Amino acid sequence: MNFVDNAFILICAALVMFMTPGLALFYGGLVRSKNVLATIMQSFIMLGLVSVLWAICGYSLAFGTDIGGLIGGLDFVFLNGVGMDNAGSPAENLPHLTFMIFQCMFAVITPALISGAFAERMKFGGFMVFSALWLLLVYAPLCHWVWGGGWMGEMGALDFAGGAVVHMSSGAAALCCCILIGKRKGHGSTAFIPHNLPMTILGAGILWFGWFGFNAGSALAADGIAANAFVTTHMATAAAALSWLVAEWAHGGKATTLGAASGAVAGLVAITPAAGFVTPMWAIVIGFGAGFICYGGIMLKNKLGYDDALDVVGIHGLGGTFGALATGVFATIGAEGLIAGNAEQLWIQFVSVVATWGFSFVMTFIIFKAVDKTIGLKATDEEQDRGMDIAEHSETGYQW
Amino acid sequence: MKKIEIITRTFKLDEVKTALSGIGVKGMTVNEVKGFGRQGGHKEVYRGAEYQVDFVPKIKIDVVVEDDFASEVVAAATKAAQTGQVGDGKIFVSPVDEVVRIRTGETGEEAI
């Protein structure tokens, strides 16, 4: 066990925890004022729901003894055998509890990310059940596949901090959910104007800050890899904030603050799978690409007409996919990508992309249908008119 | 007595208020309002999605004055609020039947 690493990862876990309220603000500012609390709640309460589920059985399903490369066993349910020493810890330099709580924060934010797709029209009760099932049936297996000794990691797929596990999985789920739940009332005729962009910018800033814990902490040690991941994370994010603005200009518009914030998040997403494997200059290239690609993804949404309210598909789905493939191209540290002469890595990354999208989309479809049929997920037109804050929570965000 | 409603650009509030105070207007009520006229609205763009915003923010200043003072107030307000560009706003003048000062029960011009 290494005390320095332990201190570093505990701090990183706290940083990753802070991303979820940051996401709540990022999303909250983007909706209309009558839905601000319901939207914030769908991120914030994941700190409650997912944390408890993670301790009960989620962690064990992800990191318990491997069963056929598909899922973890039940050895760590109720945190049995997860203690203050490193016994059984996947990271031998860390107390098992440290590793568990660091991973818990990743699990918390992932279902919260999906909530942007069905914002302004999802009932709270159904949402909670959906999220609980999604965590156990989609996140935990995927996490096991990639990091818990499952087939995807064994195959050699590179995912430093969760491009597949967190971003592609939530992006694919978001696409499935926003198609199944249907559009918000008034989509296409009503102006869905963000009610508080300063809140959104603050949220993006908190995400950027917390993401240092997410990516640098994924080195699982206070070492040079962590330093590299820290720097690549920052550089890619900076580059993507710029390139999104360039895309807006080139598209005939003005540079927007929402564009700068969206670009930053796109850069954070895209560098996530690559952070520990690429050099800072390639990170800038990845960031530049992410800004353009995610902006294009959102233009595509406007053309195709599905109502991904807060652009989870465009930013997390596409950004995560681009990042996973870019990792296969630009990896030179501790792994070899295309530019290091290893074309096979790109193929492995491609397989991991297809498997992640396919698995998450199909499982999300089943879970969504099951919850929708039994509990019901979509708010009525009347409830949407009144606003989800009053309809679902009996409170309002602002008193004036 | 006349009620004078001045709807104009938000940044003109201070100038209009100063001008009216300067000629002896003793009170006014201000509202933030939205509307459109010849100026029309404007375009807003969020992540590439364009929205036409028809209702433009304006300020509405309500003043009630004696009949023979009304034209002077209108002239002062017009001078203070004018930029010469489309969107300067409008002034509406209408008769007022009665005014009551709640504290004392005074009525009519005494209560203004």
Side-chain angles (χ1 to χ4, degrees):
Chain A
M1 202 161 87
N2 183 313
F3 293 144
V4 176
D5 291 348
N6 185 34
F8 176 60
I9 299 303
L10 284 173
I11 292 167
C12 285
L15 282 170
V16 180
M17 174 272 163
F18 198 41
M19 289 169 67
T20 296
L23 181 72
L25 295 178
F26 182 70
Y27 280 170
L30 287 172
V31 298
R32 292 164 291 172
S33 55
K34 64 183 177 180
N35 297 318
V36 60
L37 293 176
T39 303
I40 284 176
M41 183 70 146
Q42 287 180 352
S43 291
F44 191 81
I45 200 58
M46 289 299 106
L47 283 163
L49 179 71
V50 173
S51 300
V52 171
L53 285 174
W54 192 247
I56 292 173
C57 63
Y59 175 71
S60 195
L61 292 174
F63 290 98
T65 308
D66 178 58
I67 301 173
L70 295 176
I71 191 89
L74 298 178
D75 15 358
F76 299 136
V77 289
F78 302 107
L79 299 184
N80 272 324
V82 180
M84 290 183 281
D85 53 27
N86 62 355
S89 172
E92 287 179 359
N93 57 330
L94 300 174
H96 201 167
L97 279 167
T98 300
F99 180 81
M100 183 282 297
I101 200 67
F102 181 65
Q103 289 295 335
C104 175
M105 301 311 176
F106 285 62
V108 165
I109 198 169
T110 308
L113 289 170
I114 306 170
S115 69
F118 44 68
E120 304 196 288
R121 59 200 189 283
M122 177 75 106
K123 292 170 85 72
F124 183 66
F127 161 78
M128 291 293 275
V129 175
F130 170 83
S131 297
L133 292 172
W134 196 89
L135 178 86
L136 299 177
L137 300 177
V138 182
Y139 184 84
L142 256 178
C143 183
H144 181 78
W145 291 3
V146 177
W147 295 326
W151 69 271
M152 212 181 264
E154 293 298 310
M155 175 179 74
L158 301 176
D159 187 0
F160 190 74
V165 179
V166 174
H167 298 290
M168 262 190 277
S169 67
S170 59
L175 181 62
C176 183
C177 285
C178 72
I179 292 170
L180 289 181
I181 198 169
K183 295 171 182 177
R184 286 168 287 180
K185 179 173 184 261
H187 184 261
S189 58
T190 309
F192 294 129
I193 294 181
H195 90 284
N196 190 339
L197 284 183
M199 183 189 278
T200 296
I201 310 300
L202 176 63
I206 292 172
L207 282 171
W208 193 333
F209 175 73
W211 224 291
F212 291 124
F214 200 89
N215 285 1
S218 287
L220 295 175
D223 59 8
I225 302 286
N228 186 63
F230 194 113
V231 173
T232 56
T233 299
H234 189 65
M235 291 302 161
T237 307
L242 291 175
S243 67
W244 188 294
L245 298 192
V246 172
E248 285 182 329
W249 262 320
H251 202 225
K254 292 179 182 168
T256 64
T257 48
L258 176 56
S262 306
V265 175
L268 289 163
V269 169
I271 198 62
T272 293
F277 299 123
V278 300
T279 62
M281 291 314 292
W282 286 121
I284 291 178
V285 172
I286 292 172
F288 267 118
F292 285 118
I293 286 170
C294 294
Y295 181 81
I298 286 165
M299 293 307 102
L300 198 63
K301 175 198 83 166
N302 292 338
K303 281 220 158 52
L304 295 178
Y306 58 88
D307 188 14
D308 177 12
L310 309 183
D311 295 308
V312 187
V313 181
I315 292 179
H316 296 276
L318 278 185
T321 302
F322 170 67
L325 297 175
T327 306
V329 175
F330 299 116
T332 53
I333 300 169
E336 291 184 338
L338 189 62
I339 61 166
N342 180 15
E344 198 199 342
Q345 188 63 50
L346 186 55
W347 169 250
I348 293 172
Q349 296 302 102
F350 179 75
V351 172
S352 76
V353 166
V354 173
T356 305
W357 272 90
F359 177 69
S360 178
F361 194 95
V362 171
M363 290 300 290
T364 302
F365 187 93
I366 295 167
I367 296 167
F368 188 101
K369 282 291 184 191
V371 178
D372 197 29
K373 287 277 190 291
T374 49
I375 300 173
L377 284 169
K378 190 172 190 181
T380 63
D381 284 357
E382 291 73 32
E383 288 166 335
Q384 291 183 51
D385 280 338
R386 292 170 68 203
M388 303 307 294
D389 293 1
I390 287 286
E392 289 295 306
H393 304 291
S394 290
E395 54 185 349
T396 52
Y398 308 98
Q399 301 298 327
W400 62 55
Chain B
M1 294 168 290
K2 302 283 190 197
K3 178 160 87 166
I4 303 166
E5 295 170 76
I6 305 153
I7 299 173
T8 191
R9 299 180 195 275
T10 52
F11 67 85
K12 281 290 186 182
L13 174 61
D14 282 342
E15 286 176 60
V16 174
K17 189 216 123 193
T18 306
L20 297 192
S21 298
I23 60 169
V25 173
K26 293 193 183 59
M28 61 186 68
T29 307
V30 177
N31 282 293
E32 292 176 12
V33 295
K34 289 181 177 182
F36 66 88
R38 288 190 195 173
Q39 182 187 9
H42 61 262
K43 188 179 77 176
E44 293 187 14
V45 183
Y46 298 97
R47 284 183 178 161
E50 287 187 10
Y51 299 111
Q52 179 64 28
V53 178
D54 291 323
F55 293 101
V56 185
K58 295 284 170 187
I59 203 84
K60 181 160 84 83
I61 305 160
D62 289 347
V63 188
V64 174
V65 297
E66 297 85 352
D67 287 332
D68 53 5
F69 187 28
S71 59
E72 195 186 338
V73 171
V74 170
T78 306
K79 183 159 175 267
Q82 199 169 67
T83 71
Q85 303 297 311
V86 176
D88 274 354
K90 288 207 169 55
I91 298 176
F92 302 103
V93 181
S94 49
V96 172
D97 290 340
E98 184 61 294
V99 176
V100 178
R101 175 172 283 120
I102 295 173
R103 175 169 56 87
T104 60
E106 290 167 282
T107 59
E109 293 190 358
E110 292 296 306
I112 292 177

